[in-house]
Amino acid sequence: MLANSPSVKDATAKSWVDEVARITKPREVIWLDGSKSQYQELIDVAVGMGTLIPLNPQKRPRSYLARSHPRDVARMEDRTFVCTPTEAEAGPNNNWREPKSMREKLLDVFSECMQGRVMYVIPFVMGPVGSPFSRAGLQVTDAPYVAASMTIMTRVAPAAFDEIAAKHGFVRAWHSVGAPLAEGETSDSWPHNDSVYVAHFPQESTVMSFGSGYGGNALLAKKCFALRLASYSARAEGWLAEHMLIVKVTDPEGNEHYLTGAFPSACGKTNLAMMRSHLPGWQVQTIGDDIAWIHVGDDGRLWAINPESGFFGVAPGTSPKTNPVAIEMLASDTIFTNTALTADGDVWWEGLTDEPPSDLIDWRGAAWSPDSGRPAAHPNARFTVATSRCSEIAPEWNSPAGVPISAMLVGGRRPDTVPLVNESLSWEHGVFLGASMSSAQTAAAEGEVGVVRRDPFAMLPFCGYDLAQYWQHWLEIPRIAAAKTGLSIEEVRQQLPKIFQVNWFQVDEEGRFIWPGFAENLKIVIWALQRAAGSASADSTPLGLRPPLDEASLVSGEVSTSDLETLLAVDVPKWSLEADRISEYFETFGNEVPAELGAQLQALRSRLAKNPT
Ligand code: GTP
Ligand code: SPV
Ligand code: MN
């Protein structure tokens, strides 16, 4: 059996766990220490339950396939709640519930919910151990799959107790699949409960998640802690918790640059974070693929850490052509969820190869052929793998100070209207570009795929408070930096990253992507970094700045000059409508919308009016 006598130094942690066990009534409580042997024991338990299917060790050593319940396949935004004291604080972007009654409701739901199951207690650190920016958490869960996944995704270690002591506290994360077992009853392979709650209590640094075993609903360190609760604390403490990748780019002269990118779920963060450079002399390395915690440094620059230690990435579309770094990383020691299974015990998903192998079993466990009329892998099928498996991870991904950011990308999936790249004219204009972002919905969350919705800074499902106040917080960053460093606001502006809007997803009349994307995105990243360094030129448009249309470095075999013109074009009538849509969206936040964003919208309208082509 797993080790069960931790040296829990923190009495508060111990008494919280005792309280949870008293309410949920598991048959046993097991504390995790992050060791390899314990991870293997969790895997063995999950295999025994039928949750994990071992893959062919010749093909994919130490790797497993999980098939979820068909109703438990993505984040459930409708069942995600933010319980701040007032509804206004949560904002129109969140499902608000009154904290006291919601807590009572959830205590009722959690009552005896772990009967017959083991409760795993997971002490974890988000961020490099010992970093001033790191935070600790304790998650309890009755799902060994979740406990094993948390071991990959976070730094599970007894060091968490030192962090708890140093930071005077920890996030309390309650998780249960909500499927108690009667005496002698055996578990389903994917236990769950149809009544799902993912409830956040920012005042108590607490998450209570019930019913779902999937992704962000269950791996509570990720979206619940590192984004919703962290964004709430970040506002009060003067930093930013963002849904952003972090990537390192080394230029041919050996200068190191760091860039972040906010893209909605399934819109290209993991891929951009792992680009393999095909440009002579340029090197790309990964720091993080999903979340960035960003602080103002003593030098007035913004410094980012990746709080996670693993990747929970989208499988479909990942191939040796699109993301060779990920394909190598997935060669072993990976948990796959909802991919298809091949006859020889390996995984497959749409896009992995041009032709599917014969004799596939789909993500639900049924025989599949190309004539089945449905995908073999679920569109939100995922891989869970440790950061250490990534051959291109930059050594400083674990640096306690983080890395200094010189440019930030913001962008979504827009079939038209939004150009390939648009540079903001100022910090405030950049915040406007982030605040007015929109994207076609993907399979990462429940909801209709393809519908365009506003998703400011890719934080719509993840901001723990009113988005309008969040925009105000972004606008405060220059003042926060000036106060922290003693620099003037003007000096601070020189240090802050430049913000760029991007869109890799414009399509032609046949619905084909015009921009090749993936590794080719490096060219846009390089232009952005050179703009930030003051070494590339740009042309003005009504939207901001763009690369000159004769920018030879952006044209290639796949992208003709005329494609580039289409990709960079600003369609003024479409943008007049877009300005109306942005205005309508801002109005849904009433008086809270910062006046500065209204001024930015007005400035956009007047630039458009001067260019009525
Ligand atoms: P989450 O993990 O949900 O936050 O997603 P993500 O933002 O990390 O997206 P990811 O990089 O996993 O990409 C999601 C899907 O978009 C995959 O199917 C990719 O193949 C596809 N994709 C990524 N980058 C590009 C691109 O530049 N162009 C095109 N056309 N597709 C892309
Ligand atoms: C996302 O939806 O942005 C994800 C997957 O990264 S989940 O962890 O389920 O939120
Ligand atoms: Mn991702």
Short mmCIF file of all heavy atoms in Angstrom, two decimals, residues 405-458:
data_model
loop_
_atom_site.label_atom_id
_atom_site.label_comp_id
_atom_site.label_asym_id
_atom_site.label_seq_id
_atom_site.Cartn_x
_atom_site.Cartn_y
_atom_site.Cartn_z
N ILE A 405 9.73 39.51 -19.90
CA ILE A 405 8.91 39.42 -21.11
C ILE A 405 9.08 40.67 -21.97
O ILE A 405 8.89 41.79 -21.49
CB ILE A 405 7.42 39.27 -20.72
CG1 ILE A 405 7.22 38.03 -19.83
CG2 ILE A 405 6.53 39.18 -21.97
CD1 ILE A 405 7.72 36.73 -20.42
N SER A 406 9.42 40.48 -23.26
CA SER A 406 9.50 41.67 -24.12
C SER A 406 8.32 41.86 -25.05
O SER A 406 8.14 42.96 -25.58
CB SER A 406 10.80 41.72 -24.92
OG SER A 406 11.35 40.48 -25.12
N ALA A 407 7.53 40.82 -25.28
CA ALA A 407 6.34 41.01 -26.12
C ALA A 407 5.25 40.04 -25.68
O ALA A 407 5.53 38.97 -25.15
CB ALA A 407 6.68 40.77 -27.59
N MET A 408 4.00 40.47 -25.89
CA MET A 408 2.85 39.64 -25.57
C MET A 408 1.95 39.57 -26.79
O MET A 408 1.66 40.61 -27.40
CB MET A 408 2.06 40.26 -24.41
CG MET A 408 2.78 40.24 -23.08
SD MET A 408 1.79 41.13 -21.84
CE MET A 408 2.40 40.33 -20.35
N LEU A 409 1.51 38.35 -27.13
CA LEU A 409 0.54 38.19 -28.21
C LEU A 409 -0.83 37.94 -27.60
O LEU A 409 -0.94 37.28 -26.57
CB LEU A 409 0.90 36.99 -29.10
CG LEU A 409 2.33 36.92 -29.67
CD1 LEU A 409 2.46 35.70 -30.58
CD2 LEU A 409 2.68 38.20 -30.41
N VAL A 410 -1.86 38.48 -28.23
CA VAL A 410 -3.23 38.14 -27.84
C VAL A 410 -3.98 37.78 -29.11
O VAL A 410 -3.80 38.45 -30.13
CB VAL A 410 -3.95 39.30 -27.10
CG1 VAL A 410 -3.24 39.66 -25.81
CG2 VAL A 410 -4.10 40.54 -27.98
N GLY A 411 -4.76 36.70 -29.09
CA GLY A 411 -5.45 36.37 -30.34
C GLY A 411 -6.34 35.18 -30.21
O GLY A 411 -6.17 34.35 -29.33
N GLY A 412 -7.29 35.09 -31.14
CA GLY A 412 -8.21 33.96 -31.14
C GLY A 412 -8.34 33.38 -32.52
O GLY A 412 -7.49 33.59 -33.38
N ARG A 413 -9.39 32.61 -32.69
CA ARG A 413 -9.70 31.93 -33.94
C ARG A 413 -10.74 32.75 -34.67
O ARG A 413 -11.93 32.69 -34.34
CB ARG A 413 -10.36 30.60 -33.57
CG ARG A 413 -9.70 29.38 -34.07
CD ARG A 413 -10.39 28.17 -33.46
NE ARG A 413 -9.38 27.27 -32.97
CZ ARG A 413 -8.82 26.32 -33.71
NH1 ARG A 413 -9.20 26.12 -34.95
NH2 ARG A 413 -7.88 25.56 -33.19
N ARG A 414 -10.33 33.54 -35.66
CA ARG A 414 -11.30 34.32 -36.44
C ARG A 414 -11.12 33.98 -37.91
O ARG A 414 -10.04 34.20 -38.46
CB ARG A 414 -11.08 35.82 -36.20
CG ARG A 414 -11.46 36.32 -34.80
CD ARG A 414 -12.95 36.31 -34.54
NE ARG A 414 -13.71 37.14 -35.44
CZ ARG A 414 -14.10 38.38 -35.17
NH1 ARG A 414 -13.80 38.95 -34.01
NH2 ARG A 414 -14.80 39.07 -36.05
N PRO A 415 -12.18 33.46 -38.56
CA PRO A 415 -12.06 33.11 -39.98
C PRO A 415 -11.81 34.32 -40.88
O PRO A 415 -11.34 34.17 -42.00
CB PRO A 415 -13.40 32.44 -40.30
CG PRO A 415 -14.31 32.76 -39.16
CD PRO A 415 -13.48 33.08 -37.98
N ASP A 416 -12.13 35.50 -40.41
CA ASP A 416 -11.90 36.71 -41.20
C ASP A 416 -11.75 37.90 -40.25
O ASP A 416 -11.68 37.73 -39.03
CB ASP A 416 -13.06 36.96 -42.18
CG ASP A 416 -14.41 36.95 -41.48
OD1 ASP A 416 -14.48 37.44 -40.33
OD2 ASP A 416 -15.38 36.44 -42.05
N THR A 417 -11.73 39.09 -40.79
CA THR A 417 -11.73 40.37 -40.08
C THR A 417 -10.41 40.66 -39.35
O THR A 417 -9.77 41.69 -39.61
CB THR A 417 -12.90 40.49 -39.06
OG1 THR A 417 -14.11 40.11 -39.72
CG2 THR A 417 -13.04 41.93 -38.55
N VAL A 418 -9.99 39.80 -38.44
CA VAL A 418 -8.78 40.10 -37.64
C VAL A 418 -7.54 39.70 -38.45
O VAL A 418 -7.39 38.55 -38.85
CB VAL A 418 -8.80 39.37 -36.29
CG1 VAL A 418 -7.52 39.64 -35.51
CG2 VAL A 418 -10.03 39.77 -35.48
N PRO A 419 -6.64 40.68 -38.72
CA PRO A 419 -5.46 40.36 -39.54
C PRO A 419 -4.47 39.45 -38.83
O PRO A 419 -4.55 39.23 -37.62
CB PRO A 419 -4.85 41.73 -39.84
CG PRO A 419 -5.42 42.67 -38.85
CD PRO A 419 -6.71 42.10 -38.35
N LEU A 420 -3.54 38.95 -39.63
CA LEU A 420 -2.50 38.05 -39.12
C LEU A 420 -1.78 38.64 -37.92
O LEU A 420 -1.55 37.96 -36.92
CB LEU A 420 -1.52 37.76 -40.27
CG LEU A 420 -0.31 36.89 -39.98
CD1 LEU A 420 -0.74 35.50 -39.54
CD2 LEU A 420 0.58 36.81 -41.24
N VAL A 421 -1.42 39.91 -38.01
CA VAL A 421 -0.75 40.55 -36.87
C VAL A 421 -1.03 42.05 -36.88
O VAL A 421 -1.13 42.67 -37.94
CB VAL A 421 0.78 40.27 -36.86
CG1 VAL A 421 1.46 40.74 -38.12
CG2 VAL A 421 1.45 40.86 -35.62
N ASN A 422 -1.18 42.61 -35.69
CA ASN A 422 -1.45 44.03 -35.52
C ASN A 422 -0.77 44.48 -34.23
O ASN A 422 -1.05 43.95 -33.16
CB ASN A 422 -2.98 44.25 -35.44
CG ASN A 422 -3.35 45.67 -35.06
OD1 ASN A 422 -2.74 46.62 -35.56
ND2 ASN A 422 -4.33 45.81 -34.18
N GLU A 423 0.13 45.44 -34.38
CA GLU A 423 0.87 45.92 -33.19
C GLU A 423 0.12 47.07 -32.54
O GLU A 423 -0.34 48.00 -33.21
CB GLU A 423 2.27 46.39 -33.63
CG GLU A 423 3.10 46.95 -32.48
CD GLU A 423 4.44 47.51 -32.95
OE1 GLU A 423 4.96 47.05 -34.01
OE2 GLU A 423 4.96 48.41 -32.28
N SER A 424 0.01 47.03 -31.23
CA SER A 424 -0.67 48.10 -30.51
C SER A 424 0.18 49.37 -30.50
O SER A 424 1.40 49.32 -30.64
CB SER A 424 -0.98 47.66 -29.08
OG SER A 424 0.24 47.37 -28.41
N LEU A 425 -0.50 50.49 -30.30
CA LEU A 425 0.16 51.79 -30.34
C LEU A 425 0.65 52.24 -28.97
O LEU A 425 1.41 53.19 -28.86
CB LEU A 425 -0.81 52.83 -30.92
CG LEU A 425 -1.33 52.49 -32.32
CD1 LEU A 425 -2.53 53.34 -32.69
CD2 LEU A 425 -0.21 52.63 -33.36
N SER A 426 0.19 51.56 -27.92
CA SER A 426 0.58 51.94 -26.55
C SER A 426 0.16 50.79 -25.63
O SER A 426 -0.56 49.88 -26.06
CB SER A 426 -0.17 53.20 -26.11
OG SER A 426 -1.57 52.93 -26.07
N TRP A 427 0.56 50.82 -24.36
CA TRP A 427 0.10 49.83 -23.39
C TRP A 427 -1.43 49.82 -23.34
O TRP A 427 -2.07 48.76 -23.41
CB TRP A 427 0.67 50.15 -22.01
CG TRP A 427 0.20 49.20 -20.94
CD1 TRP A 427 -0.79 49.40 -20.02
CD2 TRP A 427 0.70 47.87 -20.70
NE1 TRP A 427 -0.95 48.29 -19.23
CE2 TRP A 427 -0.04 47.34 -19.62
CE3 TRP A 427 1.69 47.08 -21.29
CZ2 TRP A 427 0.18 46.06 -19.12
CZ3 TRP A 427 1.91 45.80 -20.79
CH2 TRP A 427 1.16 45.31 -19.71
N GLU A 428 -2.03 51.03 -23.29
CA GLU A 428 -3.49 51.12 -23.16
C GLU A 428 -4.18 50.54 -24.40
O GLU A 428 -5.20 49.86 -24.30
CB GLU A 428 -3.92 52.58 -22.94
CG GLU A 428 -3.59 53.13 -21.56
CD GLU A 428 -2.10 53.37 -21.32
OE1 GLU A 428 -1.30 53.42 -22.30
OE2 GLU A 428 -1.70 53.53 -20.14
N HIS A 429 -3.61 50.82 -25.57
CA HIS A 429 -4.18 50.25 -26.79
C HIS A 429 -4.04 48.72 -26.77
O HIS A 429 -4.95 47.99 -27.18
CB HIS A 429 -3.50 50.86 -28.03
CG HIS A 429 -4.06 50.38 -29.33
ND1 HIS A 429 -3.27 50.08 -30.41
CD2 HIS A 429 -5.34 50.11 -29.72
CE1 HIS A 429 -4.04 49.66 -31.41
NE2 HIS A 429 -5.30 49.68 -31.02
N GLY A 430 -2.92 48.24 -26.26
CA GLY A 430 -2.72 46.79 -26.14
C GLY A 430 -3.75 46.17 -25.21
O GLY A 430 -4.29 45.09 -25.50
N VAL A 431 -4.06 46.86 -24.11
CA VAL A 431 -5.08 46.34 -23.19
C VAL A 431 -6.44 46.31 -23.91
O VAL A 431 -7.21 45.36 -23.78
CB VAL A 431 -5.14 47.18 -21.89
CG1 VAL A 431 -6.31 46.72 -21.00
CG2 VAL A 431 -3.82 47.09 -21.13
N PHE A 432 -6.70 47.34 -24.73
CA PHE A 432 -7.94 47.34 -25.52
C PHE A 432 -7.98 46.13 -26.46
O PHE A 432 -9.02 45.46 -26.59
CB PHE A 432 -8.04 48.65 -26.32
CG PHE A 432 -9.15 48.68 -27.33
CD1 PHE A 432 -10.47 48.85 -26.93
CD2 PHE A 432 -8.88 48.52 -28.68
CE1 PHE A 432 -11.50 48.85 -27.86
CE2 PHE A 432 -9.90 48.52 -29.62
CZ PHE A 432 -11.21 48.69 -29.21
N LEU A 433 -6.85 45.82 -27.12
CA LEU A 433 -6.82 44.66 -28.03
C LEU A 433 -7.12 43.37 -27.26
O LEU A 433 -7.85 42.50 -27.74
CB LEU A 433 -5.47 44.56 -28.75
CG LEU A 433 -5.11 45.70 -29.70
CD1 LEU A 433 -3.74 45.45 -30.32
CD2 LEU A 433 -6.16 45.86 -30.79
N GLY A 434 -6.55 43.25 -26.07
CA GLY A 434 -6.81 42.07 -25.24
C GLY A 434 -8.26 42.03 -24.78
O GLY A 434 -8.92 40.98 -24.84
N ALA A 435 -8.77 43.18 -24.36
CA ALA A 435 -10.13 43.24 -23.80
C ALA A 435 -11.18 42.97 -24.86
O ALA A 435 -12.28 42.49 -24.55
CB ALA A 435 -10.37 44.61 -23.16
N SER A 436 -10.87 43.28 -26.13
CA SER A 436 -11.88 43.12 -27.18
C SER A 436 -11.67 41.85 -28.00
O SER A 436 -12.34 41.64 -29.00
CB SER A 436 -11.84 44.34 -28.11
OG SER A 436 -10.55 44.49 -28.68
N MET A 437 -10.77 40.98 -27.54
CA MET A 437 -10.49 39.73 -28.24
C MET A 437 -11.75 38.88 -28.42
O MET A 437 -12.63 38.89 -27.57
CB MET A 437 -9.55 38.88 -27.38
CG MET A 437 -8.18 38.71 -27.90
SD MET A 437 -7.21 37.91 -26.60
CE MET A 437 -7.70 36.19 -26.79
N SER A 438 -11.78 38.11 -29.50
CA SER A 438 -12.89 37.18 -29.68
C SER A 438 -12.38 35.96 -30.40
O SER A 438 -11.32 35.98 -31.01
CB SER A 438 -14.00 37.84 -30.48
OG SER A 438 -13.47 38.16 -31.75
N SER A 439 -13.17 34.87 -30.34
CA SER A 439 -12.69 33.61 -30.90
C SER A 439 -13.86 32.68 -31.16
O SER A 439 -14.85 32.71 -30.42
CB SER A 439 -11.72 32.97 -29.91
OG SER A 439 -11.05 31.88 -30.52
N ALA A 440 -13.71 31.83 -32.19
CA ALA A 440 -14.70 30.79 -32.42
C ALA A 440 -14.53 29.72 -31.34
O ALA A 440 -13.41 29.31 -31.04
CB ALA A 440 -14.51 30.19 -33.80
N GLN A 441 -15.64 29.27 -30.77
CA GLN A 441 -15.55 28.29 -29.68
C GLN A 441 -15.03 26.94 -30.16
O GLN A 441 -15.28 26.54 -31.29
CB GLN A 441 -16.92 28.11 -29.02
CG GLN A 441 -17.07 28.98 -27.79
CD GLN A 441 -18.32 28.66 -27.03
OE1 GLN A 441 -19.32 29.33 -27.19
NE2 GLN A 441 -18.27 27.64 -26.19
N THR A 442 -14.29 26.26 -29.28
CA THR A 442 -13.69 24.97 -29.60
C THR A 442 -14.28 23.90 -28.69
O THR A 442 -15.09 24.19 -27.81
CB THR A 442 -12.17 25.02 -29.38
OG1 THR A 442 -11.93 25.20 -27.98
CG2 THR A 442 -11.52 26.15 -30.16
N ALA A 443 -13.81 22.67 -28.88
CA ALA A 443 -14.33 21.54 -28.09
C ALA A 443 -13.74 21.47 -26.68
O ALA A 443 -14.08 20.57 -25.92
CB ALA A 443 -14.06 20.23 -28.83
N ALA A 444 -12.88 22.43 -26.32
CA ALA A 444 -12.26 22.38 -24.99
C ALA A 444 -13.27 22.62 -23.88
O ALA A 444 -13.05 22.25 -22.74
CB ALA A 444 -11.12 23.39 -24.89
N ALA A 445 -14.38 23.29 -24.23
CA ALA A 445 -15.43 23.49 -23.24
C ALA A 445 -16.74 23.06 -23.86
O ALA A 445 -16.87 23.00 -25.09
CB ALA A 445 -15.51 24.96 -22.83
N GLU A 446 -17.72 22.74 -23.00
CA GLU A 446 -19.04 22.43 -23.53
C GLU A 446 -19.61 23.69 -24.15
O GLU A 446 -19.33 24.79 -23.73
CB GLU A 446 -19.94 21.95 -22.38
CG GLU A 446 -19.50 20.61 -21.85
CD GLU A 446 -20.63 19.93 -21.10
OE1 GLU A 446 -21.32 20.61 -20.35
OE2 GLU A 446 -20.80 18.71 -21.29
N GLY A 447 -20.41 23.55 -25.19
CA GLY A 447 -20.95 24.71 -25.89
C GLY A 447 -20.83 24.47 -27.38
O GLY A 447 -20.16 23.54 -27.80
N GLU A 448 -21.47 25.36 -28.18
CA GLU A 448 -21.51 25.10 -29.62
C GLU A 448 -20.18 25.48 -30.28
O GLU A 448 -19.77 26.64 -30.24
CB GLU A 448 -22.66 25.89 -30.24
CG GLU A 448 -23.15 25.27 -31.53
CD GLU A 448 -24.26 26.12 -32.15
OE1 GLU A 448 -25.03 26.74 -31.41
OE2 GLU A 448 -24.32 26.15 -33.39
N VAL A 449 -19.54 24.48 -30.88
CA VAL A 449 -18.24 24.71 -31.52
C VAL A 449 -18.43 25.63 -32.73
O VAL A 449 -19.37 25.47 -33.50
CB VAL A 449 -17.60 23.36 -31.93
CG1 VAL A 449 -16.36 23.57 -32.79
CG2 VAL A 449 -17.25 22.55 -30.68
N GLY A 450 -17.55 26.62 -32.88
CA GLY A 450 -17.57 27.49 -34.06
C GLY A 450 -18.21 28.84 -33.83
O GLY A 450 -17.95 29.78 -34.56
N VAL A 451 -19.04 28.98 -32.80
CA VAL A 451 -19.70 30.26 -32.53
C VAL A 451 -18.67 31.26 -32.01
O VAL A 451 -17.93 30.97 -31.08
CB VAL A 451 -20.83 30.07 -31.49
CG1 VAL A 451 -21.44 31.42 -31.10
CG2 VAL A 451 -21.88 29.11 -32.00
N VAL A 452 -18.62 32.44 -32.66
CA VAL A 452 -17.64 33.45 -32.22
C VAL A 452 -18.16 34.13 -30.95
O VAL A 452 -19.31 34.56 -30.88
CB VAL A 452 -17.40 34.50 -33.33
CG1 VAL A 452 -16.57 35.66 -32.80
CG2 VAL A 452 -16.71 33.85 -34.52
N ARG A 453 -17.32 34.15 -29.93
CA ARG A 453 -17.69 34.89 -28.72
C ARG A 453 -16.50 35.74 -28.28
O ARG A 453 -15.36 35.42 -28.58
CB ARG A 453 -18.12 33.93 -27.59
CG ARG A 453 -17.00 33.06 -27.06
CD ARG A 453 -17.43 32.30 -25.80
NE ARG A 453 -16.33 31.50 -25.27
CZ ARG A 453 -16.42 30.70 -24.21
NH1 ARG A 453 -17.57 30.59 -23.56
NH2 ARG A 453 -15.37 30.03 -23.79
N ARG A 454 -16.80 36.81 -27.57
CA ARG A 454 -15.74 37.64 -26.98
C ARG A 454 -15.05 36.81 -25.92
O ARG A 454 -15.72 36.14 -25.11
CB ARG A 454 -16.31 38.90 -26.33
CG ARG A 454 -16.97 39.87 -27.26
CD ARG A 454 -15.99 40.65 -28.11
NE ARG A 454 -16.57 40.80 -29.45
CZ ARG A 454 -15.90 41.20 -30.53
NH1 ARG A 454 -14.61 41.50 -30.44
NH2 ARG A 454 -16.49 41.29 -31.69
N ASP A 455 -13.74 36.83 -25.90
CA ASP A 455 -12.99 36.09 -24.89
C ASP A 455 -11.78 36.92 -24.49
O ASP A 455 -10.65 36.66 -24.90
CB ASP A 455 -12.59 34.71 -25.45
CG ASP A 455 -12.04 33.79 -24.36
OD1 ASP A 455 -11.80 34.26 -23.23
OD2 ASP A 455 -11.83 32.59 -24.66
N PRO A 456 -12.01 37.97 -23.69
CA PRO A 456 -10.95 38.92 -23.38
C PRO A 456 -9.71 38.26 -22.78
O PRO A 456 -9.83 37.51 -21.80
CB PRO A 456 -11.60 39.85 -22.34
CG PRO A 456 -13.07 39.72 -22.59
CD PRO A 456 -13.28 38.31 -23.04
N PHE A 457 -8.57 38.51 -23.38
CA PHE A 457 -7.30 37.94 -22.90
C PHE A 457 -7.41 36.42 -22.70
O PHE A 457 -6.68 35.86 -21.90
CB PHE A 457 -6.85 38.60 -21.59
CG PHE A 457 -6.32 40.00 -21.74
CD1 PHE A 457 -7.14 41.11 -21.54
CD2 PHE A 457 -4.99 40.22 -22.07
CE1 PHE A 457 -6.64 42.40 -21.67
CE2 PHE A 457 -4.48 41.51 -22.21
CZ PHE A 457 -5.31 42.61 -22.00
N ALA A 458 -8.35 35.77 -23.42
CA ALA A 458 -8.58 34.32 -23.28
C ALA A 458 -8.95 33.95 -21.84
O ALA A 458 -8.77 32.81 -21.41
CB ALA A 458 -7.37 33.51 -23.76
#
